[in-house]
């Protein structure tokens, strides 16, 4: 049976380390503040925003929230972002996605100052990551690197396969693994021979958005398997993109869902807020 990679324990370690850093910064007179914007009242978004605010409280970061009605126009949202961009008391700006259909997400993301882009979605942040410059990194893939490192899984020189090429998970994940000197293959819906490619992986990161698609037949004996997917099954229980019962019999290490990658995303958001405060000092 594979060893569990415990995202709950590791994310708590990270938040506790950040709590100390934040307390030390406070002593130097540096307060950190995250602005969280939600447009409309999508239930899942409300839960995510609530969890982010709770994490801020735990770590000692101040948060201000803007809960805007569904009918908010793109211009109104942009003008709020402009105000927050020029407010020196605000270190990070987070716009909860998805936005209502009448608002263009790319336009909104581009408007956030790259200095306050704690989600790491701004084209400048993405560019910095790809050319190896310091900048904000998308929280979920950044969290996966921490999970691997803190579970003593060596990345350098390893064969890593990422399934999924989204802008928020798959692509930044591949860039981060490359930065850690892995040999990286990115697979997607048009990939031929997916199974054979996955079977080569020492580290397999699965971000497909298809419940339990990856079973043991895709996994090399002893591999580390990271499951990014989150779904509710027919019994309303959470599950991932990986068939845990099947894969845990062949993998060496595996993340569970829930309690694997999920908690890391918020921990890394907190980390980005602290970085934002330090970078802008
Ligand atoms: P997207 O839907 O944006 O991307 C899915 C990717 O999977 C695409 O690149 C797609 O390929 C690829 N894909 C789809 N079907 C197949 C297939 N049959 N074989 C191979 N590749 C396939 O998803 P996200 O990256 O945003 O999210 C992935 C999962 O992770 C979701 O379940 C999401 O809920 C979860 N998630 C979890 C987070 C967390 O904090 N734990 C954070 C973010 C996401 P193509 O590009 O060709 O269409």
């Amino acid at each position: 049976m594979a060893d569990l990679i415990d995202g709950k324990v590791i994310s708590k370690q990270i938040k506790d380390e950040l709590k100390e850093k934040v307390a030390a910064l406070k002593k130097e007179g540096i307060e950190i503040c995250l602005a969280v914007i939600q447009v409309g009242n999508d239930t899942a978004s409300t839960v995510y925003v609530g969890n982010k605010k709770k994490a801020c409280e735990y770590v000692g970061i101040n948060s201000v929230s803007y809960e805007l009605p569904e009918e908010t126009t793109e211009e109104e949202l942009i003008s709020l972002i402009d105000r927050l961009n020029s407010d020196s008391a605000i270190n990070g700006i987070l716009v909860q996605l998805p936005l209502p259909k009448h608002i263009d997400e790319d336009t909104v993301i581009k408007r956030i100052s790259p200095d306050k882009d704690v989600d790491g979605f701004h084209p400048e942040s993405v560019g910095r990551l790809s050319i190896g410059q310091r900048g904000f990194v998308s929280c979920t893939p950044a969290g996966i690197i921490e999970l691997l490192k803190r579970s003593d899984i060596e990345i350098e020189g390893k064969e890593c396969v990422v399934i999924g090429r989204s802008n928020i998970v798959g692509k930044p994940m591949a860039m981060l693994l490359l930065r850690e000197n892995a040999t990286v293959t990115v697979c997607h819906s048009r990939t031929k021979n997916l199974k054979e490619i996955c079977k080569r992986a020492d580290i397999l990161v699965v971000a497909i958005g298809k419940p339990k698609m990856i079973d043991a037949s895709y996994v090399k004996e002893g591999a580390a398997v990271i499951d990014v997917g989150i779904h509710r099954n027919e019994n309303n229980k959470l599950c991932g993109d990986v068939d845990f019962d099947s894969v845990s019999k062949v993998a060496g290490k595996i993340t569970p869902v829930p309690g694997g990658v999920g908690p890391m995303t918020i921990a890394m958001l907190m980390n980005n807020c602290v970085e934002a405060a330090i970078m802008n000092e």
Side-chain angles (χ1 to χ4, degrees):
M1 271 305 262
D3 292 334
L4 271 195
I5 301 173
D6 193 333
K8 271 198 217 152
V9 169
I10 297 174
S11 65
K12 174 144 190 319
Q13 266 170 17
I14 292 173
K15 283 191 285 182
D16 286 339
E17 289 163 14
L18 290 170
K19 198 175 186 169
E20 280 181 23
K21 256 195 204 173
V22 170
L25 287 169
K26 267 189 190 154
K27 280 198 187 133
E28 292 172 34
I30 302 167
E31 289 279 339
I32 308 176
C33 187
L34 170 69
V36 181
I37 306 172
Q38 183 182 357
V39 186
N41 41 24
D42 175 74
T43 323
S45 292
T46 305
V47 173
Y48 292 141
V49 164
N51 289 341
K52 288 168 187 175
K53 287 196 281 193
K54 255 192 249 162
C56 281
E57 227 172 274
Y58 183 83
V59 170
I61 293 173
N62 303 316
S63 67
V64 280
S65 49
Y66 296 86
E67 279 138 36
L68 309 179
E70 180 84 20
E71 55 280 5
T72 302
T73 63
E74 191 172 299
E75 292 67 35
E76 286 166 331
L77 178 56
I78 293 283
S79 89
L80 171 60
I81 291 172
D82 285 346
R83 251 195 302 128
L84 296 169
N85 279 340
S86 52
D87 182 345
S88 60
I90 300 290
N91 305 97
I93 302 171
L94 182 148
V95 178
Q96 185 63 44
L97 302 178
L99 288 168
K101 293 216 161 30
H102 63 277
I103 300 178
D104 182 53
E105 285 185 358
D106 286 345
T107 307
V108 170
I109 288 168
K110 258 197 273 172
R111 196 68 172 217
I112 296 171
S113 161
D115 293 337
K116 301 189 179 188
D117 174 38
V118 285
D119 255 339
F121 296 163
H122 191 285
E124 187 170 320
S125 305
V126 176
R128 283 176 171 275
L129 172 62
S130 64
I131 59 173
Q133 285 181 357
R134 190 166 176 209
F136 295 108
V137 177
S138 179
C139 300
T140 302
I144 292 171
I145 294 291
E146 284 299 316
L147 277 182
L148 294 169
K149 288 187 172 172
R150 290 173 188 245
S151 306
D152 294 324
I153 297 167
E154 208 185 327
I155 307 173
E156 182 161 320
K158 297 291 172 182
E159 188 90 46
C160 296
V161 174
V162 179
I163 323 179
R165 57 174 165 179
S166 70
N167 290 337
I168 61 168
V169 187
K171 282 185 199 146
M173 186 74 250
M175 295 311 304
L176 284 173
L177 289 166
L178 204 53
R179 194 163 85 178
E180 298 294 331
N181 299 316
T183 302
V184 185
T185 306
V186 182
C187 301
H188 45 79
S189 65
R190 319 284 168 87
T191 297
K192 294 195 168 67
N193 308 325
L194 181 66
K195 213 173 256 193
E196 288 91 286
I197 296 168
C198 291
K199 268 195 111 93
R200 294 204 307 251
D202 301 306
I203 298 172
L204 179 63
V205 180
V206 187
I208 320 174
K210 299 250 155 71
K212 295 190 181 182
M213 184 182 135
I214 299 303
D215 64 19
S217 65
Y218 289 80
V219 177
K220 179 165 90 174
E221 183 96 36
V225 178
I226 307 292
D227 187 356
V228 185
I230 311 178
H231 313 275
R232 285 208 178 267
N233 71 10
E234 55 287 356
N235 306 319
N236 207 31
K237 273 185 68 182
L238 288 175
C239 71
D241 290 344
V242 171
D243 181 344
F244 183 89
D245 292 339
S246 162
V247 171
S248 57
K249 292 189 180 99
V250 294
K253 295 196 174 176
I254 186 168
T255 56
V257 177
V261 173
M264 296 301 292
T265 301
I266 291 186
M268 297 318 285
L269 172 68
M270 298 299 107
N271 184 63
N272 280 353
C273 292
V274 174
E275 286 282 306
I278 295 170
M279 275 196 300
N280 297 331
E281 258 316 292

